[in-house]
Amino acid sequence: MLKKRNLFLMFTLLFAVVFFLGACTEDAGTGSTDDSKSDDSSDSSDSSDSSDDQAAEDTGEKTLVFGRGADSIQLDPSKVTDGESIYVTNQIYDTLVRYKEESTEVKPALAEEWSVSDDGTEWTFQLREGVKFHDGNDFTAEDVVFNFERWATSGEFIYYGYMFGASEDDLGGIIESVEATGDYEVKFTLSEPNAPFLQTLAMPPFGIASPAAVEEHGENYFKNPVGTGPFVFEEWVPDDSITVTKNEEYFGETANVDKVIFRTIPDNGARFLELQAGSIDLMTGLNPQDIGTAEDDSNLQIIRRPSMNISYMAMNTSKEGPMSEKLVRQAINLAIDKEELLTLYEGIGKPAKNPIPPSLWGYNDEVEDYGYDVEKAKALLAEAGYADGFEVSLYTMANPRPYMPQPKVTAQAIQQMLKDINVNVKITESDWDTHLTATENAEHDMAFLGWTGDNGDPDNFMYVLLDKDNAKVGSAGNIAFYKNDEVHDLLKEAQTEMDQEVRTDLYMEAQELIHEDAPWFPIAHTTPPLAASQNVTDYVPHPTGSEPFNLLDIK
């Protein structure tokens, strides 16, 4: 117990020192080149922000400034999986159907009505008439066909592959055809039933883009996005800000604010200071220890996003050596004190033991977590032939995430704990984009990552993150590169089974197998806190991690 308390004290003091130095010097955060650049950009943009605020006061324009920890990777939602990109694309694009404000139940969007055949393989959508893309072109059924055919032409459209089972040999996956059966009617024909199909179509990566804009901008479309959504893209200053403006012709509820500026401020503490100073209105990535300060400030409010996420440490099972050994992975699970690790989450995290959160149906609560047992861990390492230990890399992102508020400190805590079983951990810290690229390309031995559910279906966690279909070097969602044929068969059967009780049994069995194979050290499910000015009203954060901003307002 003394050792555990000392470890917690050490990391608490370390974080306090880092935060103090970050608040008192220009080079806030981790001290990396990217943080320094971002700080410089933030400093240089302060005057422009002030000018924007003054202009807004003069014209009566409402501008919401949203502070976040990292820049978007790109603004073509079909090519990204990161939340920072989707935050922005959610404002620009519409999908055929969308989620209700506080759940993953779907409602009409670009499609007003739909029907499905008795065998679950044909879906017909009646589309909304009178909708225009931001470039002035009319939205029709042919535009839906164009987008789905585009996504089925290349493996670079990552989420299409994840959700529809596309492969290099079959880029269309389970979607056999998409036909315009009228100006405002489109029919999907699937090769097999797909239980989460309707919920999947509501996911941001399936936002419908303007074919004219895609063809005009070609390879540069990712930075010139054109959709039908409540906001129109205006400007992107890399590592600084992205600006979108109200779409006055939006078919849905027209935005209450005239402009949204997404500002990149990598350090949580620096971002909170800007919120306190009034230079931003809303922020993600609030440090847990700042929650009390925000609650005590009459000018601020805390808003909690519903939990539908997981943070984890993936072990690269494809690498020759210790990570390919199940006993070694089990030993690592035993050697990390999860209860101690969760103190770094300071009340916003609950321990994870399965790859899906307990808020989802299909969660297997009968699975018993490994617990903390150093001696048993040592015995398993000896049995695996690693009694003397080994050296291993742990890749971590520098940027805080909703599911992991302090990634570097969390990595250092695990580094310290694994020393007790003679496993020497070398930490590699990178900016968000570099970290995603490295892990998708299998450069790591172990790596931090997390996931916020997209559609409220267990398939979106288990198939995307742990099926062998998604362990493709270069575009991996499964960064443990875990391949188990029995798990694969269960997950594929669950996709085609329309009875939810049967699907539940399949997912529960898959969780038992995954737990035994231990490709992950599951860490936590969080309730991510956001902080906002009291002037922000009617903001309802969505369980999927992002939401359109047309319903919120600012006084």
Side-chain angles (χ1 to χ4, degrees):
M1 285 299 292
L2 178 62
K3 182 176 181 180
K4 288 170 64 176
R5 283 196 295 269
N6 286 343
L7 178 61
F8 174 58
L9 179 61
M10 178 184 71
F11 285 110
T12 300
L13 291 172
L14 173 61
F15 184 77
V17 169
V18 171
F19 178 79
F20 176 79
L21 290 174
C24 296
T25 67
E26 283 191 347
D27 188 16
T30 61
S32 67
T33 303
D34 285 336
D35 283 341
S36 299
K37 286 182 179 178
S38 296
D39 287 338
D40 291 341
S41 299
S42 298
D43 290 341
S44 63
S45 65
D46 283 345
S47 59
S48 62
D49 287 340
S50 299
S51 299
D52 288 342
D53 291 343
Q54 184 62 51
E57 290 176 10
D58 293 342
T59 63
E61 183 180 79
K62 291 182 180 180
T63 298
L64 178 86
V65 183
F66 181 86
R68 59 197 185 137
D71 199 2
S72 299
I73 292 176
Q74 60 166 291
L75 299 180
D76 180 348
S78 60
K79 293 184 178 182
V80 295
T81 63
D82 70 295
E84 300 297 359
S85 297
I86 291 171
Y87 248 123
V88 181
T89 63
N90 244 338
Q91 317 309 321
I92 300 169
Y93 295 90
D94 287 303
T95 42
L96 291 180
V97 292
R98 70 162 60 98
Y99 302 121
K100 292 187 174 179
E101 277 67 42
E102 298 183 67
S103 74
T104 52
E105 184 180 351
V106 299
K107 65 178 184 178
L110 289 174
E112 293 185 296
E113 298 177 353
W114 52 89
S115 59
V116 60
S117 62
D118 291 340
D119 66 358
T121 62
E122 288 189 0
W123 291 79
T124 303
F125 293 84
Q126 305 299 323
L127 305 181
R128 193 179 298 272
E129 298 184 32
V131 176
K132 287 188 177 292
F133 288 103
H134 300 154
D135 58 10
N137 288 301
D138 292 330
F139 163 74
T140 68
E142 291 292 350
D143 301 316
V144 177
V145 173
F146 173 91
N147 276 269
F148 276 86
E149 288 184 347
R150 175 182 180 237
W151 299 332
T153 60
S154 168
E156 67 181 333
F157 300 102
I158 299 173
Y159 241 118
Y160 185 94
Y162 286 172
M163 302 311 298
F164 299 126
S167 65
E168 291 181 3
D169 299 325
D170 182 13
L171 291 171
I174 63 168
I175 299 181
E176 288 189 343
S177 65
V178 185
E179 306 169 76
T181 47
D183 288 344
Y184 295 97
E185 182 180 274
V186 64
K187 185 175 78 170
F188 292 80
T189 301
L190 311 183
S191 60
E192 59 189 31
N194 183 263
F197 184 71
L198 190 62
Q199 277 75 18
T200 296
L201 291 182
M203 291 164 51
F206 304 114
I208 303 299
S210 164
V214 171
E215 291 172 351
E216 176 186 353
H217 295 290
E219 293 183 357
N220 288 319
Y221 176 72
F222 76 94
K223 54 186 177 182
N224 296 281
V226 178
T228 61
F231 291 91
V232 179
F233 171 74
E234 179 178 297
E235 182 184 34
W236 185 0
V237 181
D239 296 320
D240 181 10
S241 64
I242 295 175
T243 302
V244 296
T245 57
K246 176 166 66 173
N247 178 6
E248 299 284 2
E249 298 183 1
Y250 189 51
F251 66 83
E253 295 187 54
T254 306
N256 294 306
V257 297
D258 300 285
K259 181 181 294 187
V260 179
I261 300 173
F262 293 86
R263 281 193 54 206
T264 301
I265 308 168
D267 182 71
N268 282 2
R271 200 176 320 120
F272 183 53
L273 288 174
E274 293 218 30
L275 180 68
Q276 290 176 302
S279 54
I280 63 175
D281 304 297
L282 175 64
M283 65 169 281
T284 59
L286 181 69
N287 281 326
Q289 61 269 31
D290 288 333
I291 293 175
T293 303
E295 289 175 332
D296 292 338
D297 190 330
S298 61
N299 295 315
L300 303 180
Q301 57 180 310
I302 294 293
I303 305 169
R304 293 185 181 270
R305 186 178 298 282
S307 180
M308 195 170 71
N309 62 26
I310 183 156
S311 59
Y312 59 89
M313 182 178 74
M315 290 171 267
N316 187 349
T317 63
S318 69
K319 276 200 170 182
E320 291 186 12
M323 292 299 101
S324 65
E325 299 286 343
K326 179 174 73 173
L327 292 178
V328 171
R329 300 193 300 268
Q330 290 177 339
I332 287 173
N333 269 268
L334 287 162
I336 300 173
D337 187 344
K338 192 173 297 183
E339 180 182 347
E340 182 70 17
L341 204 62
L342 264 288
T343 61
L344 299 174
Y345 284 66
E346 299 196 28
I348 69 166
K350 294 183 177 180
K353 61 180 180 179
N354 288 317
I356 64 175
S359 57
L360 253 58
W361 60 269
Y363 181 80
N364 191 343
D365 201 30
E366 299 300 313
V367 169
E368 291 187 17
D369 206 356
Y370 280 92
Y372 178 52
D373 191 331
V374 172
E375 294 308 314
K376 186 175 180 181
K378 288 179 178 178
L380 288 178
L381 284 186
E383 186 179 345
Y386 293 95
D388 295 330
F390 53 87
E391 186 171 293
V392 66
S393 66
L394 170 56
Y395 280 45
T396 179
M397 52 282 192
N399 307 84
R401 308 303 303 150
Y403 45 75
M404 187 177 288
Q406 301 183 63
K408 183 174 184 178
V409 180
T410 304
Q412 291 169 333
I414 288 177
Q415 179 187 53
Q416 189 70 24
M417 292 173 187
L418 292 184
K419 283 182 180 179
D420 290 343
I421 59 170
N422 296 318
V423 173
N424 295 316
V425 176
K426 179 184 177 183
I427 297 172
T428 298
E429 183 187 31
S430 303
D431 66 82
W432 182 228
D433 191 3
T434 302
H435 180 71
L436 290 179
T437 301
T439 54
E440 287 173 357
N441 283 285
E443 295 175 14
H444 58 287
D445 296 319
M446 306 189 303
F448 284 158
L449 211 55
W451 191 257
T452 299
D454 294 297
N455 63 9
D457 195 291
D459 173 78
N460 181 242
F461 281 83
M462 298 183 68
Y463 180 71
V464 172
L465 302 179
L466 286 160
D467 191 83
K468 68 177 186 178
D469 284 351
N470 293 319
K472 303 167 188 171
V473 174
S475 64
N478 173 2
I479 68 161
F481 296 87
Y482 170 63
K483 298 177 181 179
N484 181 310
D485 289 337
E486 191 174 355
V487 169
H488 171 75
D489 291 342
L490 289 167
L491 297 183
K492 292 300 290 184
E493 185 180 350
Q495 287 181 337
T496 58
E497 174 59 58
M498 304 304 283
D499 186 322
Q500 187 167 311
E501 288 188 9
V502 177
R503 294 185 74 208
T504 294
D505 291 339
L506 294 169
Y507 286 127
M508 291 182 76
E509 185 178 349
Q511 286 167 76
E512 291 174 0
L513 295 172
I514 292 167
H515 177 75
E516 171 68 19
D517 286 343
W520 285 6
F521 172 72
I523 301 174
H525 309 290
T526 66
T527 306
L530 299 98
S533 161
Q534 287 288 0
N535 291 334
V536 175
T537 63
D538 302 318
Y539 174 54
V540 181
H542 197 268
T544 58
S546 65
E547 51 284 318
F549 285 172
N550 56 315
L551 300 183
L552 64 74
D553 204 349
I554 186 166
K555 296 176 184 176

